Amino acid sequence: MTDRALAVVRAGALTTVQDRGRPGHAHLGVPRSGALDGPAAALANRLAGNAPDAAVLETTLNGCSVRPRSTVTVAVTGAPCPVTVDGRAVAWGAPVRVRAGSVLDVGAAVRGVRSYVAVSGGIAVEPVLGSRSTDLLSGLGPAPLTDGAVLPLGTPREGRARVDVAPQPAPPAELVLRVTPGPREDWFTPGAVRLFTSRTYHVSPASNRIGLRTTGPSLERARRDELPSEGMVLGAVQVPPDGTPVVFLADHPTTGGYPVIAVVRAADLPAAAQAPPGTPVRFVAVRRR
């Protein structure tokens, strides 16, 4: 067993291949996609000795198990979780050497939602439009992992990882999202705009890679007419007919017909990737730069 590949033993609830995404194709109706927690994915690559744009595995809630067919260095970051090799506990958030044929198990998240698994050489599935990312909305990229699947690995870079361990932010106990006014803020009553940034919402179990859905106070619209579909950006806070905000994440549609009340600062979106259902959410108004 010397070939550069990774066999999937346990796929988990939802494990996908992700890199830095495929920006620049919105005019074709293609979302950006990519790792929801970009800093965690980049750190995993750094620990494993990969280039920053190498593809990693993004797990959801209950992790995954894989068996490399050659000896590799792996690193697990993002949501803290137990990590074992052949049943023996190993480090989370640090480089780990895994021999050919051994089983690396990434357990259920202790806190947060998504863990990132980097393997030396990177996941070398065929790129689509310049990215190896799985896009759940458009279906581009590799399908989510299934038990028994085999993923090719790239050639490791020369030399070892330059860092043994690095600090990581804890998953949020409360998700604070800074927002600037959206293009359709005037479609809502002044009271609804005040409500949006003064009340606490909670992360809905219906959230996914497309959007972080919320439960909480309904926002009243000042206008009831139809809004023609228009372009949507990462972090747009769209308000569907039920009146509860939805924050668009990496796999969001590139157009939409519901009004956008605000846009979340890009720097706050990685924390949204790690907010489990029930997490309190506050939208905080900030001035445009």
Side-chain angles (χ1 to χ4, degrees):
M1 301 198 330
T2 58
D3 56 320
R4 297 285 304 168
L6 203 63
V8 179
V9 177
R10 178 179 64 87
L14 175 64
T15 302
T16 59
V17 176
Q18 299 295 338
D19 55 20
R20 295 198 290 192
R22 46 180 69 86
H25 300 288
H27 64 293
L28 300 176
V30 177
R32 178 191 184 94
S33 195
L36 288 192
D37 188 344
L43 177 58
N45 272 326
R46 185 181 176 199
L47 291 167
N50 291 337
D53 59 350
V56 302
L57 299 180
E58 179 184 273
T59 73
T60 308
L61 293 175
N62 70 345
C64 68
S65 298
V66 293
R67 179 186 287 113
R69 293 183 175 177
S70 60
T71 299
V72 295
T73 298
V74 301
V76 182
T77 62
C81 61
V83 183
T84 63
V85 174
D86 291 338
R88 177 177 57 86
V90 296
W92 170 88
V96 174
R97 198 73 168 162
V98 181
R99 295 185 180 277
S102 292
V103 174
L104 170 76
D105 184 77
V106 179
V110 177
R111 300 187 305 278
V113 177
R114 295 172 174 88
S115 298
Y116 292 86
V117 186
V119 183
S120 52
I123 309 299
V125 295
E126 193 68 24
V128 178
L129 293 177
S131 171
R132 294 181 167 90
S133 289
T134 300
D135 180 349
L136 297 182
L137 183 67
S138 71
L140 293 177
L145 268 60
T146 55
D147 295 355
V150 177
L151 302 172
L153 297 176
T155 302
R157 297 200 300 179
E158 292 185 3
R160 300 178 63 85
R162 296 184 179 181
V163 61
D164 293 324
V165 68
Q168 300 183 57
E174 179 185 50
L175 183 60
V176 178
L177 300 176
R178 294 170 295 172
V179 296
T180 52
R184 302 301 175 188
E185 184 188 61
D186 60 345
W187 279 54
F188 298 89
T189 64
V193 174
R194 289 193 299 271
L195 189 70
F196 172 61
T197 55
S198 63
R199 296 286 295 275
T200 298
Y201 289 83
H202 291 84
V203 176
S204 165
S207 301
N208 54 26
R209 282 186 48 85
I210 296 171
L212 183 139
R213 295 182 178 274
T214 65
T215 60
S218 179
L219 301 179
E220 183 183 3
R221 283 173 55 167
R223 295 181 57 174
R224 299 290 179 180
D225 46 319
E226 293 285 335
L227 176 67
S229 288
E230 54 190 0
M232 293 290 147
V233 299
L234 184 68
V237 184
Q238 193 182 64
V239 182
D242 68 2
T244 53
V246 178
V247 180
F248 276 173
L249 301 179
D251 288 357
H252 72 86
T254 56
T255 61
Y258 299 136
V260 172
I261 191 172
V263 179
V264 175
R265 289 276 179 90
D268 295 346
L269 293 176
Q274 301 297 358
T279 301
V281 182
R282 286 194 300 115
F283 297 98
V284 178
V286 295
R287 293 182 179 180
R288 288 189 178 95
R289 291 177 179 175

